[in-house]
Amino acid sequence: MTVSNETRVTHFILLGISSDPALQIIIFVLFLVMYLFTIAGNLLIVVTIYVDSQLHSPMYFFLCNLSFLDLSFSTVTVPRSLVNFLRQNKTISFNDCIAQVFFLHFFGGSECFHLTLMAYDRYVAICNPLRYTTIMNRRACLLLVGFTWVGGFIHACAQAFPVSQLPFCGPNEINHFFCDDHPLSLLACSTTFFSETADMVNTGSLSLGCFSIVFVSYAYIISTVLKIRSAEGRQKAFSTCASHLTVVTLFFGPSAFIYMRPSVTFAGDKLISVFYTIVTPWLNPFIYTLRNEKVKKSMKKLGGRKVSFLGTHMN
């Protein structure tokens, strides 16, 4: 397509993780298995929390929303990657590529804000237990979750718009398995200073802001927990926070490495991207259910209800 005497790229080619056909099959199987477990695990958490009235509290409401975000975040990249592993034509249109950038940062940004919100929830629960139900009432929880989604939307617009305005006149091969700001910027045929600056300011503000709130929240939490005289009480309080801290580390660490630097390519970028887009959403259900007795008991009750229903229906 020719626009104003300039050849404009109308589609991109996703090179994927490897060009080795045998290795692609292995990666396809691994991705498929992890994605299926991601869907099953996160949906199970959502259904369990929705069905069991004992889990209708702020902490589990936030966990339910986190599971939905994990599922959505993984779905942005994995299905197309699975299809690309099995076909020769690995093209993606310009509009679809920009849309993938937008939704990747929409759900990713929302998850950053949501993990920060969960840290604040733990701070209120441990440091102000007598006022917890007053502070984290239903209206406040809905508003706070709404703010995380709005924040994710603003972040996504700030990431996708600058890169969508860059001129792409060739080459059109993206050295990645999904569309993102950095690999796209490397293909632009003009200066990317504005786009790179906007990305770093946007992502830096988001990461530093969220990290600061999480750090301050846990500083107060640790200070409060250490004052608890009972060893059992301290263990229970730390156990409540351990799952969240693990997820924060798994999500923020790789994301900060990828996005809080200029658009340069490192050998390990694809592997790190696999970790935060596929592995972390797959691990999160295990992290929360293995360390949470109430969720495990509720899942067993849900399984019992299903067996009872099937038995009654068959009789």
Side-chain angles (χ1 to χ4, degrees), residues 234-254:
R234 288 196 300 271
Q235 183 179 358
K236 184 178 179 180
F238 277 127
S239 178
T240 304
C241 302
S243 299
H244 179 255
L245 273 175
T246 303
V247 172
V248 167
T249 303
L250 291 174
F251 188 82
F252 274 81

Side-chain angles (χ1 to χ4, degrees), residues 40-46 48-49 55 59-60 63 67 243-244 247 282-300:
N42 284 293
L43 281 179
L44 181 59
I45 289 177
V46 171
T48 300
I49 292 173
L55 300 180
M59 175 181 173
Y60 296 105
L63 175 57
S67 293
S243 299
H244 179 255
V247 172
W282 166 61
L283 286 175
N284 283 355
F286 296 102
I287 293 171
Y288 276 105
T289 56
L290 289 176
R291 299 188 62 88
N292 195 305
E293 291 298 327
K294 291 185 77 173
V295 174
K296 286 193 288 186
K297 288 180 181 178
S298 295
M299 286 182 175
K300 289 178 181 179

Side-chain angles (χ1 to χ4, degrees), residues 141-187:
C141 290
L142 291 173
L143 283 174
L144 288 170
V145 168
F147 285 144
T148 66
W149 285 87
V150 171
F153 177 80
I154 295 172
H155 169 70
C157 290
Q159 291 293 111
F161 180 75
V163 75
S164 70
Q165 301 305 302
L166 293 174
F168 298 95
C169 44
N172 66 340
E173 293 183 339
I174 300 175
N175 188 22
H176 217 308
F177 63 97
F178 61 85
C179 291
D180 204 358
D181 299 71
H182 285 183
L184 273 174
S185 296
L186 294 173
L187 300 180

Side-chain angles (χ1 to χ4, degrees), residues 35 38 69-79 277-278 281-282:
Y35 183 58
T38 298
L69 285 170
D70 275 332
L71 179 58
S72 303
F73 184 58
S74 186
T75 301
V76 173
T77 59
V78 178
T277 59
I278 300 172
W282 166 61

